[in-house]
Amino acid sequence: MKELPLINRAHAYGKTAAIRSDSTEFTYEELLERSATLAATLLIDANDLDEARIAFLAPAGFDYVATQWAIWRAGGVVVPLCLSAADPELEYTLSDSETSSVVTTRELSTKVEALCQRLNIPLLIIEEMESASKNPLPEVDSSRRAMILYTSGTTSKPKGVVTTHTNNQAQIETLVEAWEWQATDCIPLFLPLHHIHGIINVLCCGLWKGATVETFPQFEIDTILNRVAADAYSLFMAVPTIYVKLISKLESLTDEERANIIHGFANMRLMVSGSAALPASVHEQWTDLTGQKLLERYGMTEIGMALSNPFHGERRPGAVGQPLPKVEIRLKSEKNELVTAEDEPGEIQVRGPGVFHEYWNRPEVTEESFDNGWFRTGDMAVIETGYYRIMGRLSVDIIKSGGYKLSALEIEAVLLQHTAIRECAIIGLPDDTWGEKVAAAVVLEEGEMLDIEALRSWCRDKLSNYKLPKQLLIVESLPRNAMGKVTKPAIRELF
Ligand code: MCA
Ligand code: AMP
């Protein structure tokens, strides 16, 4: 039977360690075996899940990967859930994706139990999934839908980005080729597993090539640095905030402690930064500290990775390099003309097999986001002596904080439910650690009072931690232009 390439390749890696968590190793063989059992349990008596959406909430590790593979092998579409999501966010994801069942671990089941009951969605507990069925698994063609990831944009609610297996495979193959992934690679995985940085760039690329992925429930800096000091890794991929945190941690250590760890970083064959702009100063500080030249790349949920500094050759601070293999890039000016000259800014547009299939259930939005087959990223860039440099986003309502893409409109919609708030505007304020941090300017109702702590605790059961406002400014009125539209650059000046 023809299997999906990611699964099929795993047979050849047999007893190699695929996943290492808390010093327990799980081989490719174990992944194949467990995912087959989980797939059979998901199928029950059906022959094929036929692209049913199966959401799952699992910490990074063997259970996560076995579940992901099981859904794929049974013909379903994976909808990975955010571990730190608040209830309304989970409800939105499950409803919008029209999820037919949720899979989770016993430990995390309390987080989704009541919600699943309310929405009438069956909840399956991984530890209890033991099918005796020996029914053959379906043959799943790569052209079928594989994954839905929720991403914020210029709409208030996140949109489901649907990729097919072919899209995912193209994104993986592009990176495996460009960054010369090896079967001998070992990489730590501490990024959240509901976004492609963690899922595709780290997890799937590693498993595609037969490498070992060492998982952490989150960015546990001390544990990870101990493993770096033990020379455990050949590769490292992180968002700029993590490099900022690593620099400040390394600087706080004694010379001897630092030297031990730096040795582990210096020995890696590649360290990558992406998901947000890496300030040139951070790039340079990292090189000064470790001797490593970070490779900065640019990507997006809808397209996978698009631009990258070279594996061999100059890695230029402040730039994102050139198009990756299989990725076509063009710049379009404000006048909608193709930019061909250097030093002229334009919107990045992308074409290629890695570009997503559709926004789930939003045909008009999907249509609008393409310009004659080219995906419009909404990011501005310029080519300078052969390398692309990202200049920023077309929309002020998109904030990148700690590598997460946030919609100002989504946060505003939540804040407006607060009885003390009459009007509000959310902006991203520049921040050395987080890239941008979420800040709220609010107009209060007559006689009301509010401080940042009260606001944050009120928001906590409505928004994930990383979306909570970090700064609050109370204003008499929001600055508006002649058309009555709130002017966010003017609000930024107020902070
Ligand atoms: C947390 N804190 C923040 C933020 N997040 N403060 C300001 N801005 C934020 N965004 C505060 C908390 O309130 C808390 O403060 C303290 O920091 C620690 O919070 P915690 O959540 O524990 O932070 P952390 O574990 O250190 O997390 C930082 C992190 C995480 C590791 C950088 O944000 C992360 O994993 N980011 C990666 C996201 C990612 O993978 N994005 C890729 C999307 P207090 O202690 O006072 O309460 S994919 C993508 O972008 C495209 C496709 C691409 O190109 O890759
Ligand atoms: P996401 O919603 O997580 O897909 O975020 C994609 C966005 O992250 C892009 O549209 C860019 O705005 C931003 N991004 C990713 N990589 C970089 C980078 N190297 N430099 C600047 N911005 C980046």
Side-chain angles (χ1 to χ4, degrees):
M1 190 200 52
K2 200 163 161 267
E3 287 179 302
L4 287 165
L6 179 68
I7 310 298
N8 186 255
R9 296 170 65 93
H11 294 285
Y13 307 137
K15 300 214 183 299
T16 310
I19 302 292
R20 194 185 294 129
S21 309
D22 284 335
S23 64
T24 307
E25 284 189 353
F26 301 91
T27 64
Y28 281 87
E29 215 168 72
E30 288 172 286
L31 260 184
L32 285 168
E33 206 172 296
R34 183 67 180 141
S35 60
T37 305
L38 296 181
T41 320
L42 287 170
L43 283 165
I44 318 174
D45 294 323
N47 296 320
D48 191 325
L49 289 180
D50 285 324
E51 298 189 8
R53 275 75 57 214
I54 313 289
F56 68 114
L57 186 72
F62 181 69
D63 282 341
Y64 179 100
V65 187
T67 307
Q68 181 198 55
W69 284 22
I71 298 167
W72 283 338
R73 296 180 81 180
V77 173
V78 299
V79 184
L81 299 172
C82 167
L83 289 168
S84 66
D87 238 32
E89 294 171 316
L90 288 172
E91 175 164 357
Y92 172 75
T93 306
L94 297 183
S95 313
D96 187 79
S97 61
E98 299 162 306
T99 279
S100 56
S101 51
V102 176
V103 180
T104 190
T105 59
R106 194 171 286 136
E107 194 180 342
L108 290 176
S109 60
T110 48
K111 202 168 157 58
V112 278
E113 215 160 29
L115 185 59
C116 286
Q117 243 166 35
R118 186 149 52 81
L119 299 178
N120 207 11
I121 300 176
L123 178 64
L124 300 163
I125 308 296
I126 296 174
E127 291 89 333
E128 295 163 11
M129 292 170 74
E130 290 299 342
S131 172
S133 158
K134 287 277 176 275
N135 282 350
L137 296 176
E139 197 165 307
V140 179
D141 192 83
S142 288
S143 61
R144 282 169 50 167
R145 292 178 182 82
M147 179 155 79
I148 303 186
L149 297 183
Y150 277 81
T151 185
S152 296
T154 47
T155 46
S156 160
K157 288 288 189 191
K159 301 186 286 276
V161 173
V162 181
T163 46
T164 62
H165 292 282
T166 305
N167 296 146
N168 292 350
Q169 284 156 26
Q171 294 180 8
I172 296 167
E173 284 177 310
T174 287
L175 296 185
V176 167
E177 178 186 336
W179 299 341
E180 301 185 8
W181 272 88
Q182 315 283 330
T184 47
D185 276 327
C186 182
I187 187 167
L189 170 56
F190 39 72
L191 294 170
L193 282 178
H194 62 291
H195 284 306
I196 61 169
H197 197 160
I199 300 172
I200 298 284
N201 298 23
V202 181
L203 184 63
C204 290
C205 283
L207 299 181
W208 182 269
K209 201 64 194 177
T212 302
V213 180
E214 189 165 306
T215 61
F216 297 86
Q218 61 209 21
F219 182 62
E220 295 170 340
I221 192 162
D222 293 327
T223 323
I224 293 163
L225 286 180
N226 279 336
R227 295 289 294 148
V228 170
D231 267 333
Y233 310 123
S234 59
L235 274 173
F236 197 92
M237 295 185 196
V239 299
T241 299
I242 287 181
Y243 288 109
V244 173
K245 285 178 176 253
L246 285 171
I247 290 169
S248 90
K249 178 76 191 186
L250 289 172
E251 285 177 344
S252 73
L253 300 176
T254 64
D255 288 351
E256 197 189 335
E257 288 167 332
R258 186 163 55 239
N260 255 335
I261 297 170
I262 279 171
H263 171 265
F265 280 123
N267 281 345
M268 291 182 195
R269 68 169 192 85
L270 176 66
M271 298 191 72
V272 180
S273 173
S275 297
L278 177 72
S281 58
V282 176
H283 193 294
E284 281 149 9
Q285 264 179 297
W286 191 255
T287 307
D288 289 347
L289 259 174
T290 66
Q292 278 277 359
K293 280 211 171 276
L294 294 176
L295 180 153
E296 184 174 7
R297 56 58 179 183
Y298 159 89
M300 197 174 177
T301 307
E302 287 88 336
I303 57 172
M305 297 306 109
L307 292 159
S308 170
N309 275 278
F311 181 68
H312 301 283
E314 184 200 2
R315 297 184 192 158
R316 196 183 295 169
V320 291
Q322 290 165 339
L324 279 157
K326 295 195 188 129
V327 181
E328 285 180 85
I329 300 279
R330 69 179 191 186
L331 296 183
K332 267 289 190 81
S333 73
E334 264 176 50
K335 292 187 195 139
N336 205 27
E337 286 163 358
L338 271 185
V339 174
T340 46
E342 289 215 338
D343 304 317
E344 272 183 41
E347 183 194 11
I348 304 176
Q349 300 196 345
V350 185
R351 198 164 68 170
V355 174
F356 75 126
H357 181 64
E358 62 186 348
Y359 290 115
W360 181 248
N361 274 342
R362 287 174 174 81
E364 359 31 79
V365 186
T366 308
E367 168 108 34
E368 281 162 19
S369 61
F370 284 87
D371 175 357
N372 268 324
W374 293 78
F375 176 70
R376 300 160 51 194
T377 62
D379 289 309
M380 296 294 289
V382 64
I383 307 176
E384 292 169 343
T385 47
Y387 278 40
Y388 284 79
R389 181 168 66 79
I390 308 293
M391 301 174 73
R393 289 172 296 272
L394 284 169
S395 168
V396 286
D397 286 323
I398 293 176
I399 300 169
K400 264 266 156 159
S401 190
Y404 284 107
K405 188 178 187 187
L406 313 175
S407 161
L409 306 179
E410 181 189 6
I411 303 171
E412 284 164 9
V414 170
L415 259 56
L416 286 173
Q417 296 165 19
H418 194 296
T419 49
I421 296 177
R422 181 187 304 164
E423 284 184 279
C424 73
I426 292 289
I427 58 161
L429 282 182
D431 185 86
D432 287 346
T433 302
W434 301 99
E436 287 179 290
K437 67 178 175 195
V438 176
V442 306
V443 179
L444 292 180
E445 294 288 359
E446 215 43 51
E448 295 284 357
M449 302 231 291
L450 194 62
D451 63 30
I452 184 69
E453 276 322 312
L455 180 64
R456 282 166 62 84
S457 70
W458 179 83
C459 286
R460 204 155 266 137
D461 59 355
K462 298 170 185 66
L463 291 169
S464 306
N465 182 37
Y466 52 85
K467 295 181 190 167
L468 301 183
K470 307 295 179 304
Q471 221 165 308
L472 172 68
L473 188 72
I474 302 196
V475 290
E476 293 284 306
S477 62
L478 295 175
R480 290 177 188 275
N481 64 17
M483 319 280 287
K485 202 171 169 317
V486 170
T487 48
K488 295 213 168 169
I491 293 174
R492 203 164 289 147
E493 300 300 311
L494 300 174
F495 279 88

